[in-house]
Amino acid sequence: LNSLSERIEKLGIKIKFDKKAQNLIIKEAFDERSGARKLKGEIRRLVENPLSSEILAGTPVRFISLTAKSAYFSIYALRI
């Protein structure tokens, strides 16, 4: 998530992942057989793809907050 945050901040967008979002990523990305090997792919599926859509939609974004609501993410974007 730190790498993703750095890439997004280079675009001039501040991003915040709350603890619920972090825990949901861990829950979805971990399994007993492979451990955390699929973490990068799950971050892409669960976080990067929806964030990309949010960033590309409409007016420019300045701040994004990501939180988890039970089994899915909520993305809040502050636009200019």
Side-chain angles (χ1 to χ4, degrees), residues 26-66:
I26 291 167
K27 178 183 170 198
E28 293 294 319
F30 183 82
D31 72 32
E32 293 296 321
R33 284 186 306 142
S34 63
R37 284 189 196 112
K38 63 181 195 172
L39 183 60
K40 188 174 183 177
E42 288 299 303
I43 289 173
R44 183 174 297 116
R45 181 181 72 84
L46 295 168
V47 181
E48 289 183 22
N49 293 343
L51 281 180
S52 297
S53 297
E54 189 65 39
I55 290 169
L56 294 173
T59 57
V61 175
R62 289 290 170 228
F63 178 78
I64 294 175
S65 175
L66 192 80

Side-chain angles (χ1 to χ4, degrees), residues 2-45:
N2 290 336
S3 172
L4 175 61
S5 295
E6 289 171 5
R7 290 192 331 249
I8 290 176
E9 288 182 3
K10 286 181 182 177
L11 299 173
I13 302 169
K14 296 289 183 190
I15 187 163
K16 177 186 165 221
F17 298 93
D18 72 6
K19 197 65 167 172
K20 290 178 186 177
Q22 294 172 12
N23 288 338
L24 181 57
I25 292 167
I26 291 167
K27 178 183 170 198
E28 293 294 319
F30 183 82
D31 72 32
E32 293 296 321
R33 284 186 306 142
S34 63
R37 284 189 196 112
K38 63 181 195 172
L39 183 60
K40 188 174 183 177
E42 288 299 303
I43 289 173
R44 183 174 297 116
R45 181 181 72 84

